[in-house]
Amino acid sequence: MERAEITEKVIACVKDSLGLADDAELTEATTLKDLGADSFDQLEIMVALEEEFGISLEDALDGGDIKSVDTIGQAVDLVQAQL
């Protein structure tokens, strides 16, 4: 799967999880904090990504905390590493 397609799906999951409008403009540089996401929202986004892509992100975090994912680009990197 191409990075652009992964990015598009990650952005869709973020928008859905945070209740953002479909026309909200997000990029890989967009931070979850700027979108108002708290730690619960970040967990919800990661679960949505796992379901969307059929992967486990726990291994990708390598014992790290979900809060270490600050940007959409970092979420894309995690997903891409598991595909």
Side-chain angles (χ1 to χ4, degrees):
M1 183 178 299
E2 296 290 325
R3 185 173 180 90
E5 185 179 354
I6 295 168
T7 302
E8 185 177 310
K9 288 183 177 191
V10 168
I11 288 173
C13 285
V14 169
K15 287 180 179 181
D16 187 53
S17 295
L18 297 178
L20 301 175
D22 288 338
D23 62 349
E25 291 195 31
L26 308 181
T27 68
E28 286 196 37
T30 302
T31 67
L32 299 177
K33 182 179 177 183
D34 287 344
L35 298 174
D38 60 20
S39 58
F40 180 77
D41 292 324
Q42 287 178 297
L43 180 59
E44 188 176 329
I45 290 166
M46 292 303 131
V47 169
L49 293 175
E50 289 179 332
E51 291 173 359
E52 174 69 31
F53 292 98
I55 59 174
S56 173
L57 294 175
E58 186 175 340
D59 293 337
L61 289 170
D62 193 29
D65 193 319
I66 194 74
K67 290 182 257 181
S68 66
V69 179
D70 294 322
T71 66
I72 289 176
Q74 288 174 328
V76 171
D77 292 339
L78 281 176
V79 169
Q80 192 170 32
Q82 295 302 302
L83 293 177

